[in-house]
Amino acid sequence: MKRIIIALSIALSFTLPTYAFADQAACEAKAVSKDGKPLYGAAKAASIKKCESGK
């Protein structure tokens, strides 16, 4: 039983950071202006923060 719990916790520790990174990458892809040009600086940071808090 102890081995199963340890194995599951190790597997979960590898899964969660990957999921969080995928969300951030998706939010970075959505950080574009109305013209379709990528955002930079504070505008990009605000857009990503808004996208991540909306999930």
Side-chain angles (χ1 to χ4, degrees):
M1 185 69 176
K2 220 177 198 183
R3 290 182 183 176
I4 294 172
I5 293 172
I6 291 171
L8 287 175
S9 65
I10 290 172
L12 187 62
S13 69
F14 286 117
T15 309
L16 289 177
T18 306
Y19 180 73
F21 180 73
D23 282 347
Q24 184 178 7
C27 287
E28 284 185 19
K30 292 179 183 177
V32 294
S33 68
K34 291 180 182 178
D35 300 332
K37 296 179 182 177
L39 296 175
Y40 296 101
K44 182 177 180 179
S47 176
I48 291 172
K49 185 176 180 181
K50 183 179 178 181
C51 175
E52 288 177 345
S53 67
K55 290 185 178 183

